Amino acid sequence: MPKIKTAILQTHVYKDKIRNITQTAEHLAAPELASIDLAVLPEMFCCPYENKCFPEYAEAEGGDTWEKCSRLAAEHKIYLVAGSMPERDEEGHIYNTSYVFDRTGKQIGKHRKMHLFDINVKGGQYFKESDTLTPGNQVTVFDTEFGKMGLCICYDLRFPELARLMVDKGAQVIIVPAAFNMTTGPLHWELMFRQRAVDNQVYTIGAAPARDMNAGYHSWGHSIVTDPWGKVLMEMDEKPDIKVVKLDLDEVSRVREELPLLKHRRKDLYTLSQI
Ligand SMILES: NC(=O)CCC(=O)C(=O)O
């Protein structure tokens, strides 16, 4: 099985939506990324992570930002997980949505953040996505020439049932556009990506915005890739950065063969089902 050359882009999020797309296009055109198969962008890569911005920046599926991302995937002949962006549906609901495009620019996946980030840590982070956003209700797995990949957004990763449902649908990689914060990030970010990788014997990929202390929300950054043993293959710091990591899906099969956790489940005693 060929290795999947995966670029993780930890970009700055500007207030100017177009500038965010332009910088993404410039990065993807860089010679270092010439032979990649897959690129992953951060959560809300084109919109400041603030409730007041979500309605203002929201676009319908197929809108301008969607179109530009589709064209970038086709131009570079890559799979593009277009981080996430605010999506407005016909009824005016707004979702935190991640689109996936194949090497021809065709949309092959779409995930609407299912668990909204509503937390209130005393002396720490407060955020209430449900002030403006509506939750999605689909488990998302998409097909590639390499195998199936699961997709969720940031806070979604905290829910082990969702990761397991993706794995039950065949995911060997779980991709997570994300933006943890300065309260939970230091303790939970790396742990969470390793934990989901170990539980499910998958690669996990987290792509976060770079930290901007002048922004309303301070991203932890630390974009990360872990392997199916739970080993961290790459972790950034808080600054803008781009890294390319090779994923070997034979390693998923090897780990699952040697330590057969998924086979050893007592499905006669317990089950996980989607309603
Ligand atoms: N954007 C988010 O969903 C943030 C999630 C987060 O920081 C967490 O601790 O969970």
Side-chain angles (χ1 to χ4, degrees):
M1 168 78 72
K3 298 201 170 50
I4 312 169
K5 270 187 91 177
T6 304
I8 296 93
L9 283 73
Q10 179 164 296
T11 48
H12 184 85
V13 178
Y14 296 98
K15 289 200 175 109
D16 178 351
K17 195 200 278 189
I18 305 293
R19 194 166 170 196
N20 293 312
I21 318 282
T22 310
Q23 73 162 348
T24 304
E26 285 166 1
H27 290 316
L28 290 177
E32 307 83 81
L33 300 197
S35 60
I36 59 166
D37 299 297
L38 165 69
V40 185
L41 310 181
E43 182 179 24
M44 291 291 173
F45 77 99
C46 54
C47 167
Y49 189 75
E50 289 178 46
N51 270 310
K52 68 171 194 268
C53 296
F54 299 151
E56 195 188 321
Y57 285 63
E59 293 175 18
E61 179 179 335
D64 217 36
T65 308
W66 183 100
E67 182 65 37
K68 289 192 168 80
C69 289
S70 160
R71 268 199 248 135
L72 282 174
E75 183 186 338
H76 297 288
K77 300 187 175 50
I78 56 170
Y79 291 93
L80 177 65
V81 176
S84 79
M85 60 185 87
E87 176 208 358
R88 190 189 305 274
D89 74 4
E90 283 169 2
E91 283 91 48
H93 300 116
I94 299 166
Y95 302 89
N96 184 342
T97 301
S98 179
Y99 299 105
V100 186
F101 302 94
D102 73 7
R103 294 183 190 270
T104 68
K106 182 177 154 223
Q107 183 180 307
I108 54 165
K110 170 176 176 177
H111 181 75
R112 287 172 166 167
K113 190 174 192 174
M114 194 190 265
H115 303 90
L116 294 183
F117 179 51
D118 287 0
I119 71 163
N120 186 7
V121 181
K122 285 195 182 59
Q125 185 66 50
Y126 169 84
F127 205 94
K128 194 156 177 256
E129 279 190 324
S130 62
D131 278 347
T132 56
L133 299 180
T134 299
N137 53 17
Q138 298 291 327
V139 179
T140 308
V141 170
F142 61 92
D143 255 317
T144 71
E145 74 215 45
F146 303 100
K148 289 191 179 7
M149 302 188 185
L151 176 66
C152 66
I153 302 176
C154 202
Y155 193 59
D156 279 337
L157 191 66
R158 286 191 177 272
F159 298 86
E161 296 88 345
L162 175 59
R164 180 50 59 84
L165 284 169
M166 291 190 259
V167 168
D168 281 347
K169 287 174 183 283
Q172 301 184 68
V173 180
I174 293 182
I175 301 180
V176 195
F180 266 43
N181 61 83
M182 302 294 286
T183 303
T184 59
L187 202 57
H188 293 170
W189 170 265
E190 185 187 307
L191 175 67
M192 199 66 59
F193 280 88
R194 296 187 62 207
Q195 203 169 28
R196 292 291 95 81
V198 172
D199 288 346
N200 294 293
Q201 307 183 296
V202 290
Y203 284 94
T204 59
I205 303 176
R211 190 175 310 154
D212 175 1
M213 293 310 285
N214 296 315
Y217 178 88
H218 302 147
S219 165
W220 173 239
H222 286 254
S223 295
I224 189 167
V225 178
T226 71
D227 78 5
W229 276 111
K231 186 168 147 208
V232 176
L233 299 181
M234 182 286 292
E235 185 164 357
M236 299 181 193
D237 59 18
E238 76 287 0
K239 295 187 283 301
D241 198 358
I242 296 172
K243 288 273 188 321
V244 176
V245 178
K246 288 184 187 163
L247 313 183
D248 175 7
L249 294 194
D250 289 340
E251 181 66 3
V252 174
S253 315
R254 255 192 309 273
V255 172
R256 289 180 179 180
E257 188 70 28
E258 291 171 6
L259 179 62
L261 295 181
L262 297 171
K263 275 193 205 137
H264 285 167
R265 282 179 288 174
R266 292 293 307 274
K267 287 183 173 176
D268 55 328
L269 297 179
Y270 52 79
T271 58
L272 175 64
S273 61
Q274 206 183 330
I275 292 160

